[in-house]
Amino acid sequence: MQRTPDLPKRLTDLTPVVIVGTSLWTVALVVLFFVAEGVWVQTALAGIALGFIGFGIIFWQRTAARRGSKSAQRL
């Protein structure tokens, strides 16, 4: 049976997705800060916080892969 070819790196790298998502939440926060109040501003802040958590997880996985951890996802 033939081995399935690996996907290109541009399709497996999550960093651009997290950057775009966090940037969109940041733009939404600026707009909502002047237009709305309450729960919408808090939702945008939560989106930014989750984006930074995403950056942390990506960094954590890459560090584990460089270290040679058996459970780390390798890209």
Side-chain angles (χ1 to χ4, degrees):
M1 193 169 211
Q2 291 183 342
R3 182 180 174 278
T4 305
D6 293 333
L7 289 172
K9 182 162 174 61
R10 66 181 178 84
L11 293 177
T12 60
D13 188 18
L14 295 178
T15 305
V17 175
V18 175
I19 289 172
V20 169
T22 305
S23 300
L24 289 174
W25 279 117
T26 304
V27 169
L29 176 67
V30 171
V31 171
L32 290 171
F33 188 74
F34 293 108
V35 175
E37 60 185 47
V39 71
W40 294 110
V41 175
Q42 294 171 3
T43 302
L45 282 171
I48 294 169
L50 287 174
F52 282 109
I53 290 171
F55 282 125
I57 291 171
I58 290 171
F59 177 75
W60 181 27
Q61 279 292 324
R62 288 186 179 166
T63 303
R66 280 190 218 110
R67 190 176 58 234
S69 176
K70 292 181 182 180
S71 62
Q73 296 176 3
R74 288 172 180 74
L75 298 176

